[in-house]
Amino acid sequence: MVTRRIVRTGIQLGLLVLIILVTLLIFDSRLELLPAVIHDHLPSHHPGLVVTDVTVTTCSSLNIFSSCTLDPEIWHRIEKDLYLGTGWTSSAFLHIQRKKEEDLLPADSIVVDLKMGRLDPGAGTDKKWEPRPAGIWLLRTDRSHTGDPQKVITSLDVLFGPDAADPRPGWEVKDTPLLLDTNSEARLSIRRGPPAKIERPPPRIRKDGKFKIMQVSDLHLSTGVGRCREPIPPLKDESKCEADPRTLEFIGRMLDEEKPDLVIVSGDQVNGETAPDTATVIFKLADIFVKRRVPWAAIFGNHDDEGSLDRSQSMAVLQQLPYSLSEPGPVDIDGVGNYIIEVLDHTSPHSALSLYLLDTHSYSPNERQFRGYDWIKPNQIEWFKASSQRLQKSHREYRYIHMNLAFIHIPLPEYRNPNNFFLGNCDHANDYCMLEQNADSEPSLWMCYAGGGGFGGYGGYGGYIRRVRFFDINMNSARIMTYKRLEYGDTESKIDEMMIVDAGKVVQPDY
């Protein structure tokens, strides 16, 4: 009998506690009765910012009374001209109001949905949508009726073009652009819920001991679809050829067919002169990797900082994207993007393969004395040597032969040695591999061009077909094979396939 009373009393106390907790949660959602340290960690609350209002301001340089600036104490302006600088006298900017949840007042409303269009999306329903400039419609509610917290809009951004994509988790690009008198096709991207965790899994050798790297270079992507330059096959009217969709379709097809374990984007992914919003370019490129959950890393070429972002700003964007292994590198070394990727063994934490990525900058700092492009600086070389020396001891712990590769954009002077063995094209758009020998005339270093992959950049002339390069690595035998794949023509074959490393040593093919 005593045991039954104890059990019954326990059940009653449990039910009482449950009722009290539910009551507290209900009242807390309206009145915030619980301490902030508890309140902020409840699943139905956002300790960060929520959007309370959105608007667009338009201004003209001909009207001294117009302004695209609202009270900065109330409004946050997205620093992107919605006209992309194409308005002769006009500009427009998106503004959003944001508040921390704990700072919300009873009269404040939270934006729970946003739609684009000319017609009221609430027509014929009991939902009251509020119009805003440029075809924006907001659905707002007070904090006690927000419903699913993952649906609350917590941030907005602006991207451009009909092919705009947003690879950031929790973000979505609206299909309909802002209704403005411009061809920029500015589109809103919205984030629902708190910022999601960014996935950056470290690359590992596969269970079969193999690892494949896909190298893409000179994609020359634009803000918007871009225009093709010398496409193959030739077109009577190149203006009808959209460069970026064709480029990204090619890269996506190679990802699906080759299934690489890592992608190296080795420069000039941005076509500076046609990229007034660099973030839009980076996002749509990243989207094809993120959708396939393929780790990727980028370095810069001579065109990447000719758009709206400099190298440091672009790297900051790259670092916030899923599956991106990109790093700015040491701040005391010249350039942005000097870093090392360690590809780990399948079953242990030991490095099996080291990838060195270096920034080759853009154009010569002294055109009178050295015309053309810039070069790797002495402190970068010292960093490379010191890093390699420092890692040697840990690399010897790998159960097989540890190997190294390096990726740069602007080629080394050794690429021009006419006495070296090479295989590939060198008469228009370079895609060859060249073998450098040491003082004893023994093979010492393979230097391979990736080949141009983008339709927004050079190519076509001389019948050159866009292409990408692969490095097929077998750690069991310490062997590296390399080949190229074409966008047009013989699209199934491995072009110029050859062995460049065997048993961990550089080898010359039998040609």
Side-chain angles (χ1 to χ4, degrees):
M1 293 295 292
V2 175
T3 303
R4 290 182 179 178
R5 288 178 182 175
I6 294 174
V7 172
R8 185 168 58 250
T9 302
I11 293 174
Q12 291 172 342
L13 286 173
L15 289 173
L16 178 62
V17 170
L18 180 61
I19 292 171
I20 293 173
L21 284 175
V22 171
T23 304
L24 269 175
L25 290 174
I26 293 173
F27 278 94
D28 178 71
S29 66
R30 301 169 184 266
L31 304 175
E32 291 189 21
L33 299 175
L34 295 173
V37 67
I38 299 175
H39 172 85
D40 289 348
H41 284 83
L42 293 175
S44 60
H45 296 293
H46 295 283
L49 297 170
V50 293
V51 176
T52 58
D53 206 351
V54 180
T55 193
V56 170
T57 58
T58 304
C59 51
S60 171
S61 59
L62 300 179
N63 183 355
I64 61 174
F65 298 104
S66 67
S67 173
C68 281
T69 302
L70 301 178
D71 185 350
E73 296 295 323
I74 301 175
W75 294 92
H76 169 72
R77 190 172 90 167
I78 305 298
E79 295 300 330
K80 294 184 179 183
D81 178 9
L82 302 179
Y83 288 97
L84 282 178
T86 61
W88 286 93
T89 59
S90 300
S91 298
F93 290 88
L94 178 74
H95 292 74
I96 60 175
Q97 279 188 18
R98 301 181 298 182
K99 277 191 174 184
K100 291 184 178 179
E101 188 186 27
E102 60 265 28
D103 295 336
L104 289 172
L105 302 175
D108 288 331
S109 296
I110 298 174
V111 179
V112 293
D113 204 357
L114 182 152
K115 292 187 177 182
M116 299 297 308
R118 300 185 186 279
L119 303 178
D120 182 356
T125 72
D126 59 353
K127 293 183 178 180
K128 184 179 179 181
W129 288 79
E130 303 174 34
R132 295 293 185 270
I136 298 173
W137 293 87
L138 302 180
L139 183 62
R140 301 198 298 169
T141 184
D142 62 73
R143 62 181 304 175
S144 63
H145 295 88
T146 55
D148 185 352
Q150 296 299 323
K151 293 184 178 180
V152 174
I153 296 177
T154 55
S155 192
L156 282 89
D157 200 353
V158 180
L159 302 174
F160 298 87
D163 59 341
D166 199 328
R168 296 173 292 182
W171 289 79
E172 60 176 282
V173 180
K174 290 299 178 180
D175 292 334
T176 303
L178 291 169
L179 304 182
L180 298 168
D181 185 20
T182 174
N183 294 324
S184 66
E185 291 210 35
R187 295 169 186 266
L188 297 185
S189 185
I190 66 172
R191 186 186 71 200
R192 298 181 185 274
K197 181 181 178 181
I198 303 299
E199 293 188 59
R200 295 190 185 91
R204 286 186 177 273
I205 303 298
R206 298 199 304 262
K207 188 176 181 180
D208 61 2
K210 296 181 179 180
F211 192 83
K212 184 184 291 187
I213 298 174
M214 174 178 170
Q215 183 186 5
V216 298
S217 185
D218 293 271
L219 297 178
H220 288 273
L221 300 171
S222 300
T223 302
V225 295
R227 287 189 176 184
C228 296
R229 290 176 57 183
E230 302 109 9
I232 297 294
L235 301 174
K236 291 183 179 180
D237 185 2
E238 290 186 5
S239 65
K240 295 181 179 180
C241 177
E242 296 179 342
D244 292 3
R246 186 166 173 180
T247 297
L248 296 177
E249 188 280 330
F250 170 46
I251 302 303
R253 176 158 48 88
M254 291 296 96
L255 290 170
D256 294 336
E257 293 181 7
E258 292 281 346
K259 295 183 172 22
D261 302 290
L262 175 68
V263 178
I264 300 294
V265 185
S266 56
D268 280 0
Q269 41 270 15
V270 177
N271 195 54
E273 62 182 7
T274 59
D277 186 62
T278 300
T280 293
V281 175
I282 294 175
F283 281 6
K284 66 181 176 182
L285 172 60
D287 192 56
I288 64 174
F289 305 134
V290 174
K291 284 180 177 177
R292 295 166 174 83
R293 299 184 177 182
V294 178
W296 60 289
I299 53 176
F300 299 124
N302 48 292
H303 291 295
D304 288 296
D305 54 2
E306 295 175 346
S308 61
L309 301 179
D310 62 27
R311 275 165 144 73
S312 295
Q313 292 168 329
S314 291
M315 183 58 74
V317 173
L318 289 166
Q319 284 186 279
Q320 67 172 307
L321 299 178
Y323 299 96
S324 171
L325 306 178
S326 305
E327 295 286 346
V331 295
D332 57 342
I333 303 297
D334 284 315
V336 178
N338 302 296
Y339 60 106
I340 305 169
I341 296 175
E342 297 283 21
V343 181
L344 305 180
D345 184 23
H346 176 70
T347 57
S348 76
H350 300 307
S351 170
L353 187 67
S354 294
L355 310 178
Y356 294 84
L357 296 93
L358 293 96
D359 184 8
T360 51
H361 317 286
S362 53
Y363 300 100
S364 172
N366 187 344
E367 276 289 339
R368 287 188 176 183
Q369 187 174 1
F370 306 105
R371 297 188 62 184
Y373 299 104
D374 208 340
W375 50 85
I376 295 175
K377 303 303 168 61
N379 63 7
Q380 292 176 275
I381 297 173
E382 290 304 315
W383 168 81
F384 170 77
K385 289 181 177 179
S387 299
S388 176
Q389 185 70 28
R390 172 176 53 84
L391 293 170
Q392 280 186 9
K393 182 179 179 180
S394 62
H395 289 169
R396 284 194 290 268
E397 297 176 1
Y398 178 54
R399 53 182 173 155
Y400 298 116
I401 298 175
H402 183 279
M403 294 192 289
N404 306 286
L405 287 85
F407 294 89
I408 58 177
H409 181 75
I410 297 172
L412 302 172
E414 286 81 359
Y415 275 82
R416 296 181 297 184
N417 188 341
N419 299 318
N420 284 341
F421 171 87
F422 71 91
L423 180 65
N425 291 297
C426 64
D427 56 346
H428 31 275
N430 296 323
D431 73 347
Y432 61 83
C433 281
M434 176 172 282
L435 179 61
E436 180 76 4
Q437 296 181 331
N438 60 21
D440 297 324
S441 299
E442 297 174 339
S444 62
L445 176 69
W446 274 106
M447 301 170 289
C448 295
Y449 280 100
F455 283 84
Y458 68 88
Y461 49 88
Y464 183 84
I465 299 170
R466 270 71 177 186
R467 60 200 64 197
V468 295
R469 180 172 291 279
F470 291 90
F471 295 94
D472 206 348
I473 304 167
N474 188 329
M475 299 306 300
N476 301 316
S477 56
R479 176 177 295 174
I480 301 178
M481 304 289 295
T482 187
Y483 56 90
K484 295 160 289 189
R485 292 285 304 273
L486 303 181
E487 191 272 343
Y488 175 77
D490 188 3
T491 60
E492 302 296 325
S493 298
K494 296 180 178 180
I495 306 300
D496 294 334
E497 183 178 20
M498 63 177 174
M499 183 191 304
I500 57 176
V501 174
D502 191 28
K505 296 182 179 180
V506 175
V507 295
Q508 180 170 341
D510 297 326
Y511 286 104

